[in-house]
Amino acid sequence: QVHLVESGGGLVQAGGSRRLSCAARERTVSIYNMGWFRQAPGKEREFVAAINWSGHNTYYADSVKGRFTISRDGPKNTVFLQMRNLKAEDTAVYYCAAADGDGYYTGRVDEYDYWGQGTQVTVSS
């Protein structure tokens, strides 16, 4: 079992930046492939970004490519999502997730085994 806790959400103006963190408790996430997803009101949860266990491979949704960066800090057992040039349409609850298997890069929700509780990001225009 992996217990994930997101932090860093809040209110930010359009064009601004925000960094989200995902920390693991009780167990290291260094062996897992990790991802960030988001869910806006009335919409399905959607893939944002993913990173493999070593940090060498990253994947992004087209909507955030060039603006968001996923990274991980092994010693700190933490995964980050750096968000730049935020837009109103980025407003959502952001979730961190860990995947046991190799299908993490597909962005499918069902490829991920453990989820955090989410952190709200609101972008004001």
Side-chain angles (χ1 to χ4, degrees):
Q1 186 68 26
V2 178
H3 184 202
L4 303 172
V5 180
E6 302 95 336
S7 61
L11 178 65
V12 60
Q13 289 189 335
S17 299
R18 200 83 178 181
R19 189 176 80 158
L20 304 182
S21 299
C22 172
R25 295 180 178 174
E26 298 127 6
R27 191 172 178 181
T28 180
V29 290
S30 63
I31 61 173
Y32 292 97
N33 301 310
M34 302 293 295
W36 285 95
F37 290 74
R38 66 187 182 187
Q39 188 166 17
K43 295 187 177 181
E44 292 187 353
R45 192 167 297 189
E46 66 173 4
F47 170 74
V48 175
I51 188 168
N52 77 323
W53 66 272
S54 70
H56 291 158
N57 298 321
T58 57
Y59 304 87
Y60 297 93
D62 288 342
S63 59
V64 306
K65 203 171 291 183
R67 300 189 298 122
F68 290 12
T69 302
I70 187 171
S71 61
R72 63 192 308 161
D73 185 333
K76 294 184 178 179
N77 212 27
T78 303
V79 178
F80 303 98
L81 184 69
Q82 177 68 53
M83 305 184 293
R84 298 181 176 87
N85 190 22
L86 283 161
K87 305 176 181 180
E89 52 263 41
D90 294 319
T91 295
V93 177
Y94 283 73
Y95 297 90
C96 170
D100 277 328
D102 295 330
Y104 71 100
Y105 67 93
T106 65
R108 290 171 55 92
V109 171
D110 59 7
E111 290 289 347
Y112 288 78
D113 304 283
Y114 308 103
W115 293 83
Q117 84 289 348
T119 185
Q120 175 72 46
V121 174
T122 303
V123 183
S124 63
S125 56

